[in-house]
């Protein structure tokens, strides 16, 4: 059976405060750190009662890593692995959505396993980084790759800490407020199916697990530019 997915948007980061998208790989704001406490209190109350989390995946960006380390420290201390994966990074190539070199992140966050990160990261502009470029086709394809990568994993439940844009237009079609989360099950697939991977949301999170996020969905790829 495919794992249950707990998809989390990072807490408020410095670029969210004044919408300054020129800040490179921004860290969490003070409000963001407080939001992590609310996330921890709410979501951890469901673990292990409703959710048996056996893996944490993070976008290899400072704000997503910090959110995971603050909100899910208890799980990590109990031995739940935390892995970084480039496929869950944010959409644009703006400074705020472009990651830091992996060697720098490894030194700053030794708790995180960076061995699974695509070696091309954080490149999004060269031919080598084309799968991460800012286009509707590339982002939808990356969302499908991300779901394909998780579908056959053995864990009962996986937390993924990612970004609002990618989670909304690349993966789920739903809005995510800072530090809010949604819980999904995979739609059943028959062996050999070539149809897209689809998710079914828990009724309890249709407004976000914290009740902060907009309820109405949008189409995947909404508002993204097409490939030239």
């Amino acid at each position: 059976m495919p794992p249950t997915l707990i998809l989390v948007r990072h807490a408020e980061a410095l670029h969210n405060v004044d919408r300054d998208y020129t800040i490179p790989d921004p860290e969490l704001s003070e409000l963001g750190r407080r939001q992590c406490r609310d996330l921890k209190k709410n979501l951890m109350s469901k673990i292990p009662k409703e959710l048996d989390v056996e893996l944490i995946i993070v976008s290899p960006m400072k704000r997503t890593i910090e959110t995971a380390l603050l909100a899910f420290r208890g799980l990590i201390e109990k031995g739940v692995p935390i892995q970084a994966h480039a496929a869950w990074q944010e959409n644009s190539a703006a400074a705020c959505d472009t990651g830091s070199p992996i060697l720098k992140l490894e030194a700053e966050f030794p708790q995180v396993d960076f061995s699974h990160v695509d070696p091309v990261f954080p490149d999004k502009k060269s031919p080598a980084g084309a799968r991460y470029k800012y286009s509707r086709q590339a982002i939808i394809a990356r969302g499908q790759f991300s779901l394909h990568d998780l579908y056959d994993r053995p864990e009962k439940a996986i937390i993924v800490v990612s970004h609002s844009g990618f989670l909304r237009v690349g993966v789920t079609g739903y809005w995510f407020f800072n530090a809010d989360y949604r819980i999904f099950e995979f739609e059943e697939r028959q062996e050999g199916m070539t149809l897209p991977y689809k998710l079914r949301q828990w009724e309890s999170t249709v407004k976000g697990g914290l009740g902060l996020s907009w309820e109405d969905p949008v189409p995947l790829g909404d508002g993204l530019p097409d490939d030239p």
Side-chain angles (χ1 to χ4, degrees), residues 28 66 87 139 143 162 183 219:
L28 293 182
E66 289 177 342
I139 290 167
S162 185
I183 302 175

Side-chain angles (χ1 to χ4, degrees), residues 17-210:
V17 177
D18 296 316
R19 297 187 178 183
D20 182 356
Y21 305 130
T22 66
I23 302 173
D25 197 7
E27 300 176 353
L28 293 182
S29 67
E30 286 304 313
L31 173 58
R33 294 177 180 278
R34 295 196 297 273
Q35 289 172 336
C36 288
R37 294 198 291 268
D38 294 335
L39 171 62
K40 177 181 179 180
K41 181 178 179 180
N42 182 290
L43 187 51
M44 292 300 289
S45 69
K46 299 174 173 59
I47 302 170
K49 299 174 185 176
E50 302 172 51
L51 298 161
D52 190 0
V53 174
E54 298 176 302
L55 176 65
I56 301 166
I57 289 175
V58 293
S59 159
M61 309 282 290
K62 291 181 181 179
R63 58 190 182 272
T64 43
I65 296 170
E66 289 177 342
T67 298
L69 294 178
L70 289 171
F72 309 124
R73 178 180 175 183
L75 290 175
I76 297 166
E77 290 179 343
K78 290 179 181 178
V80 174
I82 176 169
Q83 300 175 357
H85 289 259
W88 291 95
Q89 66 184 298
E90 187 56 300
N91 297 338
S92 85
C96 65
D97 293 336
T98 302
S100 302
I102 290 299
L103 288 177
K104 181 178 179 180
L105 293 174
E106 286 177 329
E108 189 169 351
F109 304 107
Q111 310 96 315
V112 179
D113 175 6
F114 291 95
S115 65
H116 303 274
V117 177
D118 187 341
V120 76
F121 181 85
D123 175 29
K124 296 182 180 183
K125 296 181 178 180
S126 77
R131 70 186 301 177
Y132 305 107
K133 69 180 178 180
Y134 183 58
S135 77
R136 184 174 64 86
Q137 291 82 0
I139 290 167
I140 291 177
R142 179 153 60 92
Q144 283 294 296
F145 170 83
S146 300
L147 294 178
H148 169 78
D149 190 49
L150 299 184
Y151 185 82
D152 289 321
R153 289 200 63 101
E155 293 85 5
K156 297 181 182 68
I158 298 172
I159 292 173
V160 180
V161 185
S162 185
H163 307 263
S164 61
F166 182 61
L167 290 174
R168 182 177 70 256
V169 298
V171 181
T172 73
Y174 287 95
W175 296 84
F176 287 73
F177 188 82
N178 282 125
D180 210 353
Y181 68 94
R182 297 178 183 272
I183 302 175
F184 296 88
E185 307 289 348
F186 278 97
E187 294 283 358
E188 186 176 355
R189 296 173 63 84
Q190 300 299 321
E191 187 173 352
M193 282 182 66
T194 58
L195 296 174
Y197 288 85
K198 294 184 178 180
L199 299 173
R200 180 179 65 257
Q201 185 171 191
W202 282 22
E203 184 67 25
S204 60
T205 67
V206 292
K207 294 184 179 180
L210 297 179

